[in-house]
Amino acid sequence: MGLQAEEGLLTPSSASRARILVATAVPAERDAVARAFSPPDSPDERVGLPGAELTRTARAAGVWDLLAAGVGPARAAASTAAALTAARLAGTPYDLVVSAGIGGGFLPDAPVGSLVVADRIGVADLGAQTADGFLPVTELGFGTIHHDPPRSLVRVACRATGAPAGTVLTVSTVTGTAARAAELRTRHPRALAEGMEGFGVAEAADAHGTAVLEIRAVSNPVGPRDRAAWRIGDALAALTEAFGKLAPALESWNRHDDQ
C-alpha cells in the first residue's frame, strides 16, 4: 500500500503498490538513485522523520522512499529503523529495504565501475581482537555477523542488472592497506565489496521482519588509499543505471517465492 504525507506523518493512500525503502549513506547516492526515476510518474514528496527526511517517488507499480540515512552502521541503522517504525505505525509497512551506494571492490572480482549484489550482508569488524587474531562477536556468544537476503530476491536483482552476487562487508573503518584487504579476503573469501552501512540497514530491517537487499557500485579498489584512482562519478552513474533496471524487477518481486 502506498503512503501520503500529512502534517509530517506517514499516512495510508488508496493505491496498492509495492513499497520500497532505499537507504543510502549520503545525499549524492540518494540523488543518483532518484535519477533512475526521472521524470517520476508524479511529483516527488518530502516526508519528515526524526532526524531525517524521505524523498518519495511514486510510480505506477511502486512507491519508492529514498533516505540518506547517514554514514556508518550505527547512524544507518537508526535512520532506517525510524523510517520502518513510522511506516509500520501508519499501518503501511515496507515490502523491501535496499541498502544502496558506492563502495570499495575486491579485485579482480569487482573492478572499479562494476556493480555487485549481496547474497550475504556481513559485518567485518564486530568482535574482539586477540593475540591469535580476530574473533567475531558470535564466537563471544553474542549477536549475529551476517544477514542473507532472500535467494529469489538476489536472483531477481542479478538477472536485472547482470551483476555478480557475493558477500558485501560492512566496516566501521574503511580498508586502507593491502595487508588489511588480504586479511578480509582470507576471512571472507566470497567478499566482493565493502561499505559502511549495509549491516546496520539489515539489522533494522531484520528487527521489523522486512526483506533486505544490498547493492554496491564500485568506486575504488579495496586496499591502499589512492584517491587519484577513485571513480566516484562513474560509480554513481552505475548506481543510476542499476536502479533503472532494478525498479520494475523489485516492484514485481514476491517474497513468498522463497517459501
Side-chain angles (χ1 to χ4, degrees):
M1 180 178 290
L3 293 178
Q4 294 175 332
E6 180 176 320
E7 298 181 352
L9 300 176
L10 302 177
T11 59
S13 77
S14 59
S16 179
R17 291 173 285 187
R19 297 204 56 254
I20 299 171
L21 174 67
V22 180
T24 70
V26 297
E29 294 166 319
R30 177 201 62 203
D31 295 345
V33 174
R35 284 192 288 274
F37 304 123
S38 298
D41 293 347
S42 61
D44 288 346
E45 298 179 46
R46 302 280 194 238
V47 180
L49 295 171
E53 183 182 72
L54 294 172
T55 299
R56 174 163 301 144
T57 295
R59 290 162 45 94
V63 176
W64 293 75
D65 283 353
L66 311 182
L67 172 67
V71 174
R75 183 61 184 238
S79 297
T80 303
L84 286 162
T85 299
R88 186 168 295 277
L89 289 175
T92 53
Y94 291 105
D95 300 297
L96 172 64
V97 179
V98 183
S99 175
I102 65 175
F106 286 93
L107 297 176
D109 300 312
V112 172
S114 66
L115 190 79
V116 301
V117 175
D119 61 11
R120 171 157 291 184
I121 302 170
V123 60
D125 48 13
L126 182 61
Q129 199 69 41
T130 75
D132 296 321
F134 178 80
L135 285 179
V137 71
T138 49
E139 294 190 24
L140 304 176
F142 305 105
T144 187
I145 56 173
H146 65 79
H147 294 280
D148 293 346
R151 292 186 300 274
S152 64
L153 180 58
V154 173
R155 287 194 300 269
V156 163
C158 290
R159 190 179 304 123
T161 62
T167 300
V168 176
L169 298 174
T170 297
V171 295
S172 294
T173 301
V174 173
T175 299
T177 66
R180 174 63 171 166
E183 176 195 350
L184 289 177
R185 201 65 187 273
T186 298
R187 284 172 33 211
H188 306 277
R190 294 186 64 253
L192 292 179
E194 72 171 22
M196 299 184 73
E197 293 77 35
F199 186 77
V201 172
E203 286 275 75
D206 181 68
H208 282 261
T210 305
V212 67
L213 183 68
E214 183 171 7
I215 305 288
R216 290 281 165 180
V218 177
S219 59
N220 57 276
V222 175
R225 288 175 65 82
D226 178 9
R227 298 195 66 155
W230 292 2
R231 297 292 181 266
I232 292 175
D234 292 345
L236 291 173
L239 198 62
T240 300
E241 182 181 359
F243 271 87
K245 299 172 180 177
L246 275 171
L250 297 186
E251 287 167 347
S252 62
W253 174 72
N254 186 338
R255 72 177 300 160
H256 299 297
D257 290 344
D258 276 332
Q259 298 178 359

